[in-house]
């Protein structure tokens, strides 16, 4: 079994992710996760790390894009997986900086 920190790689900090985190009603946390992790593993990891209750988990797989430099193919970016974790109503959102 993988450790919690192998499942959750890093928080995604973009304008959309911050807007979802701060909205009223349903709060959503966005993470970069292991490509092999399933929704149950992600849910358990978030609940144990942040000490909150998770309502649902949605995942998105991103393919690695080809990288061109000076008109020539130079390689590929790595493929990765993103998880949108919706917290239950009334749960307090933990700031990412409080984990350190």
């Amino acid at each position: 079994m993988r450790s919690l920190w192998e499942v959750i790689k890093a928080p995604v900090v973009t304008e959309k992710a911050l807007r979802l985190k701060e909205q009223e009603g349903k709060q959503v946390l966005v993470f970069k996760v292991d490509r092999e992790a399933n929704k149950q593993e992600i849910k358990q990891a978030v609940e144990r790390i942040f000490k909150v209750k998770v309502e649902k988990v949605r995942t998105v797989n991103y393919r690695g894009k080809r990288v061109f430099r000076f008109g020539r193919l130079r390689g590929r970016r790595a493929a990765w997986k993103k998880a949108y974790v919706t917290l239950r109503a009334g749960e307090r959102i933990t700031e990412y900086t409080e984990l350190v």
Side-chain angles (χ1 to χ4, degrees):
M1 182 175 171
R2 291 184 287 231
S3 74
L4 302 175
W5 297 105
E6 289 175 355
V7 174
I8 304 291
K9 300 280 187 187
V12 175
V13 183
T14 60
E15 289 182 20
K16 180 180 177 181
L18 294 176
R19 187 173 60 245
L20 289 172
K21 184 178 176 193
E22 296 169 355
Q23 72 184 4
E24 291 298 320
K26 296 206 179 220
Q27 286 114 6
V28 179
L29 302 175
V30 185
F31 297 101
K32 186 174 184 177
V33 296
D34 182 42
R35 291 187 60 207
E36 301 300 320
N38 59 33
K39 292 181 181 184
Q40 289 80 22
E41 290 175 332
I42 296 167
K43 179 179 177 178
Q44 291 172 358
V46 171
E47 285 180 344
R48 290 184 58 196
I49 291 171
F50 292 99
K51 297 178 181 42
V52 294
K53 295 295 180 184
V54 173
E55 183 177 328
K56 69 179 179 178
V57 176
R58 296 176 302 159
T59 59
V60 180
N61 288 305
Y62 288 95
R63 286 190 316 172
K65 295 181 181 179
R66 292 187 296 177
V67 177
F68 292 93
R69 297 281 190 260
F70 305 108
R72 299 185 61 133
L73 182 61
R74 290 292 191 187
R76 291 187 81 81
R77 291 187 189 141
W80 59 290
K81 187 174 193 176
K82 180 165 50 171
Y84 291 93
V85 179
T86 305
L87 302 180
R88 287 189 186 163
E91 288 292 328
R92 184 181 76 82
I93 294 180
T94 305
E95 292 297 323
Y96 301 127
T97 56
E98 292 178 11
L99 291 176
V100 180

